[in-house]
Amino acid sequence: MGGTMAEARQAATFRLDLGQGTPGRRWWNPALKEVGSAGLRSWRRSLAQCKDDILSGACPAGLASGLFLFAAIQGSRFMQLDPSLGLVDWIKASLPDWGVRWLPGFQGAVAATIFAGGLWTALLLTLHVVLRLLLRYQGWLSEPRGTLSLPTRSWLALVRIFSGRRPTLYTYQRSLPHLPLPSTVGTVAKYLESVRPLLSDEDFQALSSQAQVFLHTEAPRLQSLLGLKAWWAANYVSDWWGEYVYLRSRSPLLGNSNFYILDFLSVAPTPLQAARAGNAVYAMMRFREQLGRGEIEPATLLGMRPLCSAQYRQMFNTTRIPGVSGDRLYHVRDGCSRHVVVLHRGRFFRLGTHGGLGGHLLSPRVLEQQLQYILDDSAPAQPTEEHLAALTAAPRALWAQARASLQAGDRSSKAPLEVVEGAAFFVCLEETPGPSRTSPELDERAQSVLVGTGHSRWLDKSLNLVVFASGHMGLNVEHSWADTPVPSHMWEAILAAECFELGYAADGHCRGTPNPTVGPPERLLWMLPEEVAASIPLALREAQALARDTDCHILPFTHFGRGFTRRCRIPGSSFVQLALQLARFRDQGSFCLTYEACVTRSFHEGRTETVRPCTVEACAFVRAMEDPRLTDAQRLALFQVAAEKHWALCRAALTGEGVDRHLFCLYLVSQLLRLPSPFLTQVRAERWKLSTSQSATHQPQLFDPASHPDYVCCGGGFGPADDDGYGVSYVFMGESMVTFHISCRVSSPDTDSRRFGQHIQDAMLDVATLFGLGAGPSTRARPGEAAREASRGPEPQQAPSAPRDLEY
């Protein structure tokens, strides 16, 4: 489904500190103030973006259409026609006498301009209203894969008509509906259903009683205030989610919040590190230019439902600035950020990306030349700067104090920091493929991109481009500004442009010629105050401990993929999620609360919702798979029931009827009101021992495994949400492959990423046997053994018609 990756830990560890206070006559002020501020922020943000949208033609009508309308009205008046039905003459008569009788026709032109502007605005608003009404339609979610009903086909046609000929990235932005506010009764009922398989009868009865008390006491007051925010602000969840779950978290970003994306499973287009980095930097900067012009095609769900594009605005030139009690996002305009910062062997360089008289983007070959200069520079790092980046991996309060000391210093101490925080993105040139340890190369790359050495990433930057000496590369992404599908969309476009458009010469260099007139990159020299220098060893020890404690494993599952699940008429996400429940049961011998991220970007400023795939139906299926007395037909029937239940949960999450974001906001309101709620406190205490996410593939046409079998994208991953749990991300690549990214803590005695990877592989194969792929589990000494060599297998048994998949 393509949701966020590392948010489960942040959500679970979120705490709200409002200081001391007791309810009184003015007990409601903090809550109303927060709701009012949220609405004002929303309207201010909307007005600030309105001008940019009009100039870029993302309305969906741009200035050109307004000028055309004005010219048409003026032309018709010249031909003695009046399409305004007398309104232009009425406006002209109402205008004051400006004393310009010497300029004939001036007042008529002004009146025609006013009329054209009013008509253009009215048409624009009509388009938005009609589009917003059309985008409320959700009927297509319930239709079987491969079929579209007449209402859905009519809906698609109308959406395309009212979107204009060539919709841009922000065309639909102002027409997306607002996230609906579910009822508290429905949310609590769904929550109780989700935890039923994890609780004893006595514990469930106690929780149900607590829930009923909540519904009759605190819930009405909390819901009414939340309803006010849902009416007043663009989205009742997203600003609080970003603020309290991410920016106010005081935990280190390393391995807890930031996530990673890798390039290809095996191939590197060139073995030259500087060449790979040069093409990647050029492609990313060019993507930024296209983004600024709104030329990127809007992301859609299943190629039909447009998704919110608000997160794209902060993809580049964005830095998370640490604070003592909360962070903030700092963003500069593209025109003010024409450089990247490169980190190599503890040294920082400012690399200008534009040059020449016109300030054009430098060519990939010139950028390679600049990067090679950095690689060839033998000057050592200064003792105080070598581990400086470890501060960004420290607890946020420690880094905030150190940064404040840097800011309070003279110009020489804070200038390098301004260069770093104002860069388009951060580039890390690595000397080795990954940390020194005995593990496969793929695991090393994942481990290195995610955590590095503890001091080799500037984790505050929205994007860290990591390029290894072998030519492989990856992306480390700060999480507060966006969820996984947005940087993944960009990353797919970058890899495709870099490999198939820009390409490389026969000797591995970027195409083109060097430019000897371009000067070398500027070395950033840090003058660190004593208190900052004293903080670095403390931050480094903690960062290195976190890095050593994070274990990553990549499992390329090549037995089957999307093609098989499609023939089984089962959504791929449902197939994998049920296999993960089986694998986790075999690994730990019990069930656990499971986090599955799902996008809500079909609503304005939407981010994510949680699907809870550990259901009563899923547990029944898992127990059936472990019960030798049952037949495969009985297991298959239970699997189909569990898959249908999973789909129903996904559809509820997609349409704003999920559980967790509503409960999160209710808890937050209860804290703002200083109104204790034992039920909501119990909900907040939950631990997500299995956190999962499906990486989105927005543009599968860019990478065809049949045409380019070596260029198989690897996907990405994240750290575990719980210190005794697993983090699992998976991505479908082509028709016959799924890649799993598994993480856990080394210090946990209960988890092992490679062992869990083996359980996942066996569970996938065991589920496949129910559809006719290989032998059944009851005929094997060890699960998965008999079907090991079966990649396609016989035609699977057909399940009943299934809903369309939620993959991008």
Side-chain angles (χ1 to χ4, degrees):
M1 287 184 299
T4 186
M5 285 185 166
E7 68 187 9
R9 169 178 286 272
Q10 301 299 107
T13 58
F14 143 75
R15 294 291 181 271
L16 180 61
D17 182 11
L18 295 173
Q20 299 298 319
T22 57
R25 291 182 61 188
R26 301 175 62 85
W27 60 269
W28 42 264
N29 277 357
L32 284 181
K33 180 180 178 181
E34 183 67 27
V35 169
S37 298
L40 291 175
R41 286 194 303 267
S42 176
W43 284 100
R44 189 162 50 242
R45 190 165 54 245
S46 179
L47 292 174
Q49 294 168 358
C50 184
K51 176 184 174 183
D52 294 338
D53 290 346
I54 293 175
L55 293 176
S56 63
C59 286
L63 287 179
S65 62
L67 293 174
F68 174 79
L69 186 60
F70 169 76
I73 291 173
Q74 291 286 27
S76 64
R77 288 181 58 80
F78 179 78
M79 298 173 63
Q80 304 300 315
L81 300 174
D82 187 9
S84 70
L85 301 178
L87 282 175
V88 172
D89 291 334
W90 180 81
I91 295 172
K92 179 181 177 181
S94 303
L95 292 174
D97 185 3
W98 289 307
V100 288
R101 293 187 178 88
W102 54 272
L103 190 61
F106 175 75
Q107 285 185 309
V110 172
T113 301
I114 294 174
F115 174 75
L119 181 60
W120 181 74
T121 303
L123 291 174
L124 202 61
L125 291 175
T126 301
L127 284 175
H128 280 306
V129 170
V130 173
L131 264 179
R132 177 166 290 190
L133 292 174
L134 286 171
L135 294 179
R136 291 179 182 273
Y137 176 70
Q138 304 285 357
W140 57 274
L141 281 171
S142 302
E143 296 180 359
R145 175 192 292 277
T147 62
L148 291 178
S149 66
L150 179 60
T152 298
R153 290 199 299 270
S154 303
W155 168 73
L156 276 175
L158 289 172
V159 168
R160 287 166 184 158
I161 290 172
F162 285 95
S163 301
R165 289 191 307 162
R166 298 179 62 185
T168 63
L169 183 63
Y170 302 114
T171 291
Y172 303 100
Q173 195 59 25
R174 299 182 181 279
S175 302
L176 294 172
H178 286 193
L179 182 69
L181 178 64
S183 69
T184 52
V185 173
T187 295
V188 169
K190 292 174 185 175
Y191 169 77
L192 292 175
E193 183 183 13
S194 72
V195 298
R196 183 62 189 94
L198 307 175
L199 299 177
S200 65
D201 293 342
E202 294 78 9
D203 290 341
F204 181 75
Q205 185 60 43
L207 183 62
S208 299
S209 300
Q210 199 175 61
Q212 291 303 313
V213 173
F214 166 76
L215 287 174
H216 290 92
T217 54
E218 305 105 22
R221 188 180 300 176
L222 304 181
Q223 180 77 350
S224 62
L225 194 55
L226 198 55
L228 178 62
K229 189 194 177 193
W231 170 81
W232 173 238
N235 189 296
Y236 80 90
V237 175
S238 294
D239 59 338
W240 283 354
W241 186 254
E243 174 73 17
Y244 292 101
V245 170
Y246 290 114
L247 296 180
R248 293 207 186 186
S249 170
R250 303 293 82 202
S251 300
L253 302 183
L254 187 76
N256 293 322
S257 179
N258 286 31
F259 58 90
Y260 71 90
I261 314 174
L262 300 183
D263 54 351
F264 301 113
L265 277 174
S266 56
V267 67
T270 175
L272 302 181
Q273 185 178 18
R276 189 85 198 272
N279 258 353
V281 170
Y282 177 85
M284 290 176 71
M285 294 300 291
R286 190 179 64 174
F287 187 92
R288 188 185 75 165
E289 293 177 354
Q290 296 169 337
L291 202 59
R293 295 191 296 266
E295 295 175 353
I296 309 299
E297 289 188 11
T300 60
L301 189 64
L302 298 172
M304 295 192 298
R305 183 66 165 80
L307 299 177
C308 179
S309 301
Q311 296 176 27
Y312 286 84
R313 299 182 190 272
Q314 294 184 303
M315 180 177 293
F316 297 97
N317 329 326
T318 298
T319 305
R320 178 170 171 170
I321 304 298
V324 175
S325 59
D327 298 351
R328 62 183 175 89
L329 289 179
Y330 169 68
H331 176 77
V332 298
R333 289 188 172 271
D334 292 355
C336 302
S337 179
R338 296 197 160 198
H339 70 278
V340 298
V341 171
V342 183
L343 177 62
H344 178 244
R345 291 197 290 113
R347 305 164 304 158
F348 294 77
F349 295 85
R350 181 192 184 278
L351 173 58
T353 55
H354 294 71
L357 295 177
H360 297 298
L361 180 60
L362 298 178
S363 70
R365 187 66 182 88
V366 175
L367 291 171
E368 178 192 350
Q369 165 191 327
Q370 299 284 87
L371 290 158
Q372 190 61 52
Y373 176 89
I374 295 174
L375 292 172
D376 294 339
D377 186 352
S378 60
Q382 298 175 352
T384 55
E385 72 173 343
E386 183 177 3
H387 301 136
L388 176 64
L391 288 172
T392 67
R396 303 305 289 172
L398 174 63
W399 171 214
Q401 294 169 356
R403 184 182 177 279
S405 299
L406 273 176
Q407 289 287 89
D410 56 23
R411 180 65 186 171
S412 60
S413 67
K414 61 184 179 182
L417 182 64
E418 293 174 353
V419 173
V420 171
E421 293 178 346
F425 52 91
F426 204 79
V427 180
C428 310
L429 298 178
E430 298 287 294
E431 292 188 291
T432 58
S436 299
R437 60 178 200 159
T438 56
S439 62
E441 190 264 343
L442 266 178
D443 296 354
E444 290 187 7
R445 279 164 48 198
Q447 175 95 1
S448 184
V449 176
L450 180 61
V451 296
T453 58
H455 59 85
S456 54
R457 309 281 176 267
W458 198 270
L459 298 171
D460 290 350
K461 290 301 292 182
S462 57
L463 302 171
N464 276 248
L465 174 66
V466 183
V467 186
F468 297 110
S470 62
H472 283 287
M473 65 181 187
L475 204 65
N476 183 292
V477 185
E478 198 280 312
H479 208 331
S480 65
W481 66 274
D483 301 310
T484 315
V486 173
S488 294
H489 187 185
M490 179 273 295
W491 191 240
E492 291 170 9
I494 297 309
L495 292 179
E498 178 234 342
C499 297
F500 305 134
E501 180 187 347
L502 302 175
Y504 297 91
D507 57 1
H509 289 282
C510 295
R511 292 171 180 168
T513 56
N515 186 349
T517 64
V518 178
E522 173 192 356
R523 173 82 180 270
L524 299 181
L525 300 177
W526 299 82
M527 302 295 293
L528 302 180
E530 291 185 5
E531 52 269 30
V532 176
S535 299
I536 293 176
L538 300 176
L540 181 63
R541 282 197 296 272
E542 183 159 348
Q544 288 179 333
L546 278 172
R548 287 192 299 267
D549 198 32
T550 302
D551 183 46
C552 297
H553 175 55
I554 297 180
L555 169 66
F557 183 83
T558 58
H559 300 275
F560 56 85
R562 197 196 311 272
F564 179 78
T565 63
R566 186 178 293 119
R567 296 201 307 277
C568 296
R569 306 185 70 82
I570 295 294
S573 57
S574 299
F575 191 101
V576 172
Q577 287 295 333
L578 291 174
L580 288 176
Q581 291 299 314
L582 178 58
R584 203 276 176 183
F585 185 83
R586 288 172 173 172
D587 187 80
Q588 299 292 321
S590 62
F591 298 104
C592 72
L593 197 64
T594 304
Y595 190 106
E596 180 188 2
C598 175
V599 295
T600 56
R601 284 172 53 222
S602 55
F603 300 99
H604 189 59
E605 294 186 4
R607 292 202 61 161
T608 62
E609 179 56 273
T610 305
V611 178
R612 296 174 168 234
C614 184
T615 60
V616 172
E617 294 81 0
C619 294
F621 160 71
V622 169
R623 291 191 180 97
M625 290 295 291
E626 300 298 275
D627 188 348
R629 298 169 298 177
L630 298 183
T631 65
D632 281 354
Q634 292 172 307
R635 298 184 181 111
L636 178 59
L638 291 171
F639 175 86
Q640 291 168 352
V641 171
E644 289 172 3
K645 179 62 177 181
H646 178 261
W647 156 248
L649 294 176
C650 292
R651 187 172 64 178
L654 279 172
T655 55
E657 295 292 332
V659 171
D660 287 274
R661 298 302 174 269
H662 188 199
L663 290 175
F664 161 77
C665 289
L666 290 171
Y667 173 77
L668 184 55
V669 173
S670 74
Q671 296 299 298
L672 291 168
L673 294 177
R674 295 189 173 93
L675 183 64
S677 172
F679 172 72
L680 293 176
T681 302
Q682 173 75 14
V683 173
R684 297 300 310 160
E686 292 176 333
R687 297 175 64 186
W688 303 94
K689 291 199 172 185
L690 181 57
S691 176
T692 71
S693 175
Q694 179 181 338
S695 297
T697 50
H698 293 270
Q699 306 154 97
Q701 74 280 3
L702 296 179
F703 302 96
D704 182 9
S707 304
H708 305 282
D710 292 332
Y711 292 88
V712 177
C713 293
C714 196
F718 52 94
D722 188 89
D723 289 339
D724 291 318
Y726 291 107
V728 180
S729 174
Y730 57 96
V731 57
F732 286 89
M733 295 311 306
E735 295 294 295
S736 57
M737 185 176 184
V738 190
T739 301
F740 291 89
H741 296 251
I742 308 161
S743 66
C744 66
R745 297 297 184 205
V746 176
S747 58
S748 172
D750 299 326
T751 57
D752 183 290
S753 63
R754 285 151 197 82
R755 182 187 73 206
F756 193 51
Q758 185 62 55
H759 283 308
I760 291 175
Q761 177 165 280
D762 292 344
M764 290 283 288
L765 289 168
D766 286 349
V767 175
T769 61
L770 304 181
F771 293 90
L773 181 62
S778 59
T779 64
R780 297 196 298 269
R782 194 169 69 85
E785 198 67 41
R788 194 71 61 205
E789 73 284 352
S791 60
R792 301 185 67 89
E795 192 68 20
Q797 302 172 18
Q798 292 296 312
S801 181
R804 58 185 66 251
D805 205 339
L806 297 182
E807 300 151 10
Y808 287 88

